[in-house]
Amino acid sequence: MSKVKLDEIDHQILDMLIDNTRTPFTDIAKKLLISAGTVHVRVKKMEEAGIIKGSSLTIDYVKLGYSFIAYVGVFLEKTHQTKFVLERLNEIPNVTVAHITTGKFNIFCKIRAKDTTHAKNIIFKIDDIEGISRTETMISLEESINDKKRLMHKIFNEL
Amino acid sequence: MSKVKLDEIDHQILDMLIDNTRTPFTDIAKKLLISAGTVHVRVKKMEEAGIIKGSSLTIDYVKLGYSFIAYVGVFLEKTHQTKFVLERLNEIPNVTVAHITTGKFNIFCKIRAKDTTHAKNIIFKIDDIEGISRTETMISLEESINDKKRLMHKIFNEL
DNA sequence: GGTGAAACTTCTAATAA
DNA sequence: TTATTAGAAGTTTCACC
């Protein structure tokens, strides 16, 4: 849980790699007026510190036929069932994100489906999980802002 | 919006690259008993088809001091203000995701902050946006399921 | 479509500054 | 800490199945 100090160079390296993992270190070096070796050393340090956890492709799920996104708020019968319910949710591949939350819902999750029929089946599956008293679905009509575009320095430099 | 047909080989290539963008094509080739050239050609095709939109680093935001995640449901005064409000939300760097939704809320977004004080300021900023009548915040106590672990074939092979 | 090997680019680690 | 450099490793292309 320790905070790690990064300097401006590190932020800019992260920025470019967040935008495209395969940005050659030589390109980064050229842009930042340092050597590729230095980029390598700094990236390695950030990996060792656990700041860089890994890398992943950004997939266009819509093109693959998965155009349906919904958020499902889950109400539990009893709070101590949280762990059990999360395990069941984890078994459904279409539940792509889940958070334990305060406020209105006990658990809050995101599902990705092909269409409304498919989504209905997934929601029924969720409703059937033991310990869930009821759910509330919010269908996404449009994903307007998306993690990807958020460059690090925008977050870092703001107060 | 067109659907694209991928075969089992493509799925497995995606699988490995989703898990780690830098998986060498030679490793993928070895595992799938094809040549590295073939892997290259298939990846290129999926890039050209727009299925692979890009790649990104997975950052441990908690280690960088951003341990606070919350979901904010937004109620609008009038629906036709949606576009305007989304533009304002997009100007706040800590709003990392936003969806237009049906159901309880008009817009649904995710914020990332350093701590509760920081989060409070962000939520106040959101509340101040013209056209928003009120908001409802759900604080994430724990992120239990996370996109990253979802391998493609699990989604593809399910009905 | 796929292959295998050559040509090219990038990474990495060791050495030196 | 950073730069340089050289050998290792990965990627891309292409003539040929």
Side-chain angles (χ1 to χ4, degrees):
Chain A
M1 292 288 164
S2 59
K3 276 199 214 179
V4 184
K5 278 269 177 235
L6 302 183
D7 64 14
E8 187 54 29
I9 302 272
D10 292 322
H11 286 171
Q12 296 208 266
I13 292 172
L14 281 182
D15 243 10
M16 287 189 237
L17 290 177
I18 284 171
D19 190 52
N20 174 12
T21 316
R22 301 232 186 201
T23 313
F25 289 4
T26 45
D27 287 9
I28 298 176
K30 222 176 286 170
K31 202 159 187 176
L32 302 183
L33 306 173
I34 54 178
S35 78
T38 304
V39 176
H40 175 236
V41 170
R42 281 170 177 264
V43 169
K44 207 171 171 189
K45 265 187 200 158
M46 290 191 278
E47 278 170 354
E48 279 163 4
I51 293 170
I52 297 175
K53 284 197 286 189
S55 60
S56 190
L57 283 192
T58 314
I59 302 289
D60 190 330
Y61 288 99
V62 175
K63 285 225 168 82
L64 291 176
Y66 281 79
S67 50
F68 192 100
I69 294 173
Y71 288 95
V72 180
V74 174
F75 297 87
L76 297 178
E77 282 159 11
K78 278 160 191 153
T79 318
H80 70 259
Q81 292 166 315
T82 307
K83 194 164 169 282
F84 172 83
V85 171
L86 280 169
E87 280 163 10
R88 297 294 82 68
L89 285 172
N90 201 22
E91 286 161 6
I92 305 172
N94 305 74
V95 175
T96 59
V97 180
H99 288 257
I100 303 172
T101 53
T102 67
K104 208 170 154 40
F105 311 112
N106 298 113
I107 295 172
F108 190 70
C109 58
K110 179 179 176 178
I111 65 172
R112 192 179 281 282
K114 289 175 193 162
D115 49 42
T116 47
T117 313
H118 187 206
K120 187 192 67 190
N121 290 334
I122 296 163
I123 292 165
F124 281 179
K125 259 195 224 172
I126 293 175
D127 279 329
D128 276 350
I129 294 172
E130 211 190 307
I132 291 181
S133 69
R134 69 186 188 85
T135 61
E136 210 173 289
T137 303
M138 286 151 276
I139 296 167
S140 168
L141 301 175
E142 193 185 317
E143 187 169 18
S144 302
I145 302 178
N146 178 313
D147 259 333
K148 182 60 200 302
K149 303 278 173 249
R150 298 276 146 207
L151 300 182
M152 297 300 293
H153 66 262
K154 276 200 193 164
I155 292 189
F156 289 133
N157 294 342
E158 136 281 345
L159 289 181
Chain B
M1 291 288 164
S2 60
K3 274 201 215 180
V4 184
K5 279 268 176 233
L6 302 183
D7 65 13
E8 185 54 29
I9 303 273
D10 293 321
H11 286 171
Q12 296 208 264
I13 292 172
L14 281 182
D15 241 12
M16 287 188 238
L17 290 177
I18 285 170
D19 190 51
N20 173 12
T21 315
R22 301 232 186 200
T23 313
F25 290 4
T26 46
D27 285 10
I28 296 175
K30 223 176 285 172
K31 201 158 186 175
L32 302 183
L33 305 174
I34 54 179
S35 76
T38 303
V39 176
H40 176 238
V41 169
R42 282 172 176 260
V43 169
K44 207 170 170 188
K45 262 188 201 156
M46 292 191 277
E47 279 171 354
E48 279 162 5
I51 293 170
I52 296 175
K53 285 196 286 189
S55 60
S56 190
L57 284 190
T58 315
I59 301 290
D60 189 331
Y61 288 100
V62 175
K63 284 226 169 80
L64 292 176
Y66 282 79
S67 50
F68 192 100
I69 294 173
Y71 288 97
V72 180
V74 174
F75 297 88
L76 297 178
E77 282 161 10
K78 280 161 189 150
T79 319
H80 69 259
Q81 292 167 314
T82 307
K83 193 164 169 287
F84 172 83
V85 170
L86 280 169
E87 279 164 10
R88 295 295 84 68
L89 285 172
N90 201 20
E91 286 162 6
I92 305 173
N94 304 74
V95 175
T96 59
V97 181
H99 288 257
I100 302 172
T101 53
T102 67
K104 206 168 155 41
F105 311 113
N106 298 113
I107 295 172
F108 189 71
C109 58
K110 179 180 174 178
I111 66 173
R112 191 179 280 283
K114 288 175 195 162
D115 49 42
T116 47
T117 313
H118 187 205
K120 187 192 67 188
N121 290 334
I122 296 163
I123 293 166
F124 280 180
K125 260 195 222 171
I126 294 175
D127 279 327
D128 276 350
I129 294 172
E130 211 187 308
I132 291 181
S133 69
R134 69 185 188 85
T135 62
E136 209 173 289
T137 304
M138 286 151 276
I139 296 168
S140 168
L141 301 175
E142 194 185 316
E143 186 167 20
S144 302
I145 301 177
N146 179 313
D147 259 331
K148 182 60 198 300
K149 303 279 174 249
R150 298 277 145 207
L151 300 182
M152 297 300 293
H153 67 262
K154 277 201 192 161
I155 292 188
F156 289 131
N157 294 342
E158 135 283 344
L159 290 178

